[in-house]
Amino acid sequence: MYRTPTEYSVEGLEMARDYESCLSSMCKHVANDEYYGQPFLLEEFQRENMWLPMFACGEMTERGFRRRFRRVIFGLPSGYGKTETAAALILTIATMEVRHNGQYGVVASSLDQVKNIFEKISTMIKLNDTWSQQWDIQTKVIEHRETGARIMVLPNKADALESWHFNVLIFDELHVYRDSRAWDAAIKGQKVIARTNPLIIGITTAGDGREGFLWDLLDTSKKDPATYIYWLGLDDDDNIDDPKAWEKVMVASWVDWESVEDQRNTATSKRSFERYTANRFPNKKDEYSFFSAAQLNRLVRRKNSIDFSKPYTLGIDGATSGDCYAIVAFQKTVDERGREAALTKEWVFDDPDPETGHYPLNQIEQLIAGICAKGWPEVVAIDPNRMIVLDSHLRDNYGIETTAFAQNNATMCQAASVVSHLVKDKRLRLKGSPKTKEHLSNCIEEDREPYGTRFGKDSRKRKIDAAIALSIAALAYEKLVAGREEYVPFN
């Protein structure tokens, strides 16, 4: 945990008290939980580490109270109500610091988040009679009927902030920002109104790695006397697998041992738990293998023989050069113990022509046609955007109808999740599929929010094509075959 040292003034403490009174008496929770409609009351950790540093640090001048911190960064774990807090802050400050034609904004990470935040602010206004009379909720802007002040929710784009001079601007989920352009544009815009005590607030969780905009911003901001940072999360010397270390993030009344343990058990990966619950920036990506050697070794001990007379799927991945070509068949059955088993069979081309560096596409096409001749697969899953030539040849030359499985984040996170559960439950069988086992061992966790975690390559760029082919075949089976094996006709 990190917290910028603070020193409060008497006048600042009085202001912070008045601002909190406004918050608790006028703001109500608007999340879809049991707190909906209840007063927004600060918890102790919020008051001591967020509220007082933001409003009680500064001094009284001839022009009024001058904040010490003009920029504030809050790093909170997932589930700590960051978006709702942003909405409450905007309305509280706009009420307590009346500015004619004032500009108040929230910068959201995506169009969906823009809509989400706008709706939360609007709902808070509707739940308070005074605010309902004062603020006019329009399609994209909320305007104060008397002062002309405006509340806006904007996308994370620098040009969207140009020509605006925000009295208060909140950046939601800073960890998704690719560069500093939007942040820099906001600071530049506030220089024009520097005497009016403008404020920029960033609210976020940890980023995907120890690089990029947020990581660099935190480093430089620690040296900036005008920036306050409160980062609630585990430190580098804390063992993320030790439940005792979790106590550091258990400071909210709604966070207890059970809730943290549940997040640990349901997290898509250790890396995901570290980012969102422990709120710690993951280290080198290579340290986060998707599967352990022990997990994969136990999958080669049992019989693994696909029955091509019964429904199965094919997954295909690869490229004409560079990566290898991988074809993996997938089928579910019930073993001799009455337990579900996921069977596999692989065909992997990983030795390209030494002269051209390319793989024999005609031979691969003939192989796929031969596999289909053994027993027609229910689904031949392929990404036509990555293998357009192979896809067209299979259709035109062999009459094999493929099913498009685009390798986007939404699809591949689902596919990785299916395989992950099969491995963890010891249902996947890899006997006779050594390349698939090898490629699964090469996979690292690659977070792709909000979809989850997908298979990724490590820094050595080791091959994972068979793992990708397996995951596509497994997802195709779950989506298009499972539950219909007994009565769907096949050739």
Side-chain angles (χ1 to χ4, degrees):
M1 188 182 81
Y2 179 86
R3 183 186 188 278
T4 302
T6 55
E7 184 176 342
Y8 306 136
S9 65
V10 175
E11 297 86 354
L13 289 169
E14 292 176 351
M15 286 186 58
R17 178 200 61 199
D18 294 341
Y19 278 52
E20 182 176 351
S21 178
C22 172
L23 173 80
S24 60
S25 62
M26 301 189 74
C27 286
K28 289 183 171 57
H29 287 287
V30 293
N32 57 335
D33 55 27
E34 67 272 19
Y35 295 101
Y36 181 88
Q38 299 298 314
F40 201 117
L41 304 178
L42 291 179
E43 303 241 334
E44 188 63 23
F45 84 95
Q46 293 172 320
R47 181 180 298 106
E48 294 300 321
N49 300 299
M50 299 170 66
W51 202 261
L52 291 178
M54 191 163 36
F55 296 120
C57 291
E59 60 181 353
M60 190 63 69
T61 68
E62 294 180 357
R63 294 179 176 274
F65 189 77
R66 177 74 175 175
R67 291 192 185 96
R68 173 189 167 187
F69 300 115
R70 299 189 298 277
R71 290 171 290 281
V72 176
I73 301 174
F74 297 132
L76 302 174
S78 177
Y80 273 67
K82 293 183 293 295
T83 301
E84 194 176 46
T85 299
L89 277 171
I90 280 288
L91 286 170
T92 298
I93 300 175
T95 300
M96 296 300 294
E97 300 177 12
V98 178
R99 300 286 181 190
H100 285 272
N101 298 318
Q103 298 174 9
Y104 305 89
V106 181
V107 180
S109 57
S110 65
L111 291 177
D112 287 340
Q113 190 67 352
V114 166
K115 182 179 179 182
N116 181 35
I117 297 176
F118 190 86
E119 289 179 348
K120 285 190 182 314
I121 297 173
S122 300
T123 303
M124 282 188 179
I125 291 174
K126 293 174 183 177
L127 291 176
N128 183 275
D129 293 337
T130 301
W131 278 342
S132 295
Q133 296 174 13
Q134 293 176 342
W135 294 96
D136 177 26
I137 301 174
Q138 302 172 16
T139 305
K140 296 183 179 180
V141 177
I142 302 172
E143 187 169 341
H144 198 280
R145 292 185 172 92
E146 182 179 346
T147 66
R150 309 176 82 191
I151 297 176
M152 296 166 279
V153 182
L154 307 103
N156 170 25
K157 296 180 180 179
D159 54 3
L161 304 179
E162 294 293 342
S163 75
W164 293 102
H165 312 295
F166 288 98
N167 299 92
V168 180
L169 185 63
I170 299 179
F171 285 85
D172 190 34
E173 303 294 8
L174 280 172
H175 68 274
V176 303
Y177 293 28
R178 295 183 178 179
D179 52 52
S180 66
R181 288 183 293 177
W183 182 266
D184 293 341
I187 293 176
K188 177 184 176 182
Q190 286 191 337
K191 289 181 179 179
V192 179
I193 57 170
R195 293 185 177 183
T196 65
N197 231 13
L199 181 63
I200 291 177
I201 303 169
I203 305 180
T204 186
T205 51
D208 186 38
R210 302 191 175 197
E211 58 184 0
F213 165 63
L214 178 57
W215 181 257
D216 294 339
L217 177 65
L218 290 169
D219 182 52
T220 57
S221 295
K222 289 178 181 178
K223 308 166 189 174
D224 179 10
T227 300
Y228 171 81
I229 301 174
Y230 169 57
W231 196 271
L232 176 61
L234 268 61
D235 298 309
D236 283 347
D237 56 355
D238 292 322
N239 182 359
I240 195 173
D241 294 319
D242 183 4
K244 292 182 179 179
W246 301 349
E247 292 181 1
K248 285 189 176 181
V249 296
M250 295 169 55
V251 297
S253 62
W254 59 87
V255 178
D256 53 22
W257 286 105
E258 184 178 357
S259 64
V260 177
E261 187 174 17
D262 180 65
Q263 291 181 63
R264 182 69 179 93
N265 294 333
T266 59
T268 55
S269 66
K270 179 179 179 179
R271 186 183 184 88
S272 177
F273 176 76
E274 182 169 19
R275 280 189 64 190
Y276 298 113
T277 304
N279 199 29
R280 186 171 70 184
F281 289 79
N283 215 320
K284 296 179 181 179
K285 290 185 176 181
D286 291 7
E287 297 180 5
Y288 300 87
S289 297
F290 222 104
F291 306 108
S292 68
Q295 283 179 312
L296 297 177
N297 288 337
R298 65 194 182 197
L299 304 180
V300 298
R301 299 167 184 168
R302 294 185 179 178
K303 182 179 178 182
N304 178 35
S305 180
I306 286 183
D307 184 346
F308 288 98
S309 68
K310 295 182 179 180
Y312 71 98
T313 57
L314 274 185
I316 306 173
D317 184 63
T320 55
S321 62
D323 292 342
C324 63
Y325 251 100
I327 303 148
V328 178
F330 181 90
Q331 182 181 72
K332 280 190 175 181
T333 187
V334 177
D335 65 14
E336 60 280 0
R337 299 181 182 181
R339 296 181 58 190
E340 182 184 75
L343 310 177
T344 63
K345 186 172 179 58
E346 67 177 31
W347 299 265
V348 180
F349 292 76
D350 54 4
D351 291 318
D353 186 286
E355 295 183 3
T356 66
H358 294 274
Y359 291 102
L361 189 59
N362 290 337
Q363 184 180 343
I364 293 172
E365 293 170 3
Q366 292 171 9
L367 171 63
I368 296 172
I371 296 171
C372 293
K374 290 183 179 181
W376 207 267
E378 296 293 305
V379 181
V380 178
I382 189 172
D383 184 347
N385 298 318
R386 299 184 72 246
M387 290 172 282
I388 187 170
V389 175
L390 176 64
D391 184 53
S392 62
H393 284 187
L394 290 176
R395 290 173 177 269
D396 299 339
N397 300 339
Y398 297 95
I400 298 174
E401 289 296 324
T402 62
T403 301
F405 272 71
Q407 292 188 27
N408 52 40
N409 290 331
T411 299
M412 298 313 296
C413 286
Q414 288 185 70
S417 177
V418 171
V419 175
S420 178
H421 282 98
L422 291 173
V423 172
K424 291 177 180 178
D425 295 342
K426 306 177 186 178
R427 288 179 288 154
L428 186 65
R429 298 194 177 182
L430 296 176
K431 187 175 183 178
S433 297
K435 289 294 183 180
T436 303
K437 176 176 177 288
E438 176 188 341
H439 289 197
L440 285 171
S441 70
N442 293 342
C443 291
I444 64 168
E445 299 170 351
E446 198 168 82
D447 286 334
R448 287 294 180 265
E449 60 176 288
Y451 305 104
T453 305
R454 65 181 291 173
F455 293 151
K457 287 187 176 182
D458 61 17
S459 60
R460 289 177 285 174
K461 302 297 181 182
R462 294 186 297 174
K463 294 176 181 179
I464 63 171
D465 306 271
I468 298 297
L470 167 63
S471 67
I472 294 174
L475 180 62
Y477 198 98
E478 291 293 331
K479 294 288 186 181
L480 303 175
V481 180
R484 303 188 295 113
E485 297 94 331
E486 299 301 324
Y487 58 85
V488 174
F490 57 92
N491 297 322

